[in-house]
Amino acid sequence: MSYLPEGTPVPSPGPDDAPFWDACDRQELRIQCCADCGTFRHPPIPVCAACRSTKSTWARTSGTGTVFSYTVAHHPTHPALHGAPPYNIAVIHLDGAGDVRLVSNVVDVPPDEMRIGMRVIVVWDAIGDGHFLPRFRREDGP
Ligand code: ZN
């Protein structure tokens, strides 16, 4: 069962981020990495901000990370989300991907138990048609 209700908007990949979403569909969390200087970047863009190289690779990450920040939504921001709140929206600082932070959700933590610094690991949320979204659960959870 998906963390958010059916009908919630899903990704619409473009040429820059299609490799990220294709990896997600294989349940691999891959982050774009400059092939020349090794700087990770997300969201995906065609040019490295550090060295201006247009060469990149897609590095597979461990899927672990730390809650860098979060908020709790108390009001639906889309008609499909009616009845979903409260739910968290979390910024995850990924391990092994430089300064990359991914906006996602922590699926197994009630709003009053969310904490900055919480260790998390990716879980794959099936959203239909063979597509998956990266969400996270407590690393030390069940
Ligand atoms: Zn670079």
Side-chain angles (χ1 to χ4, degrees), residues 117-130:
M118 178 182 290
R119 293 288 303 162
V120 293
I121 186 166
V122 72
V123 291
W124 294 101
D125 192 353
I127 58 169
D129 297 328

Side-chain angles (χ1 to χ4, degrees), residues 34 36-39 48 50-53:
C34 177
D36 284 324
C37 78
T39 300
C48 176
C51 77
R52 299 185 185 269
S53 172

Side-chain angles (χ1 to χ4, degrees), residues 51-127:
C51 77
R52 299 185 185 269
S53 172
T54 57
K55 297 178 198 149
S56 63
T57 61
W58 292 87
R60 189 170 184 176
T61 71
S62 65
T64 57
T66 304
V67 175
F68 177 80
S69 187
Y70 70 93
T71 190
V72 175
H74 291 278
H75 301 282
T77 54
H78 184 274
L81 293 170
H82 182 77
Y87 62 89
N88 68 70
I89 300 146
V91 179
I92 309 299
H93 186 181
L94 295 174
D95 294 343
D99 293 330
V100 165
R101 296 168 189 152
L102 196 65
V103 177
S104 183
N105 314 95
V106 180
V107 300
D108 65 341
V109 179
D112 62 341
E113 292 180 26
M114 283 294 294
R115 297 287 182 270
I116 289 171
M118 178 182 290
R119 293 288 303 162
V120 293
I121 186 166
V122 72
V123 291
W124 294 101
D125 192 353
I127 58 169

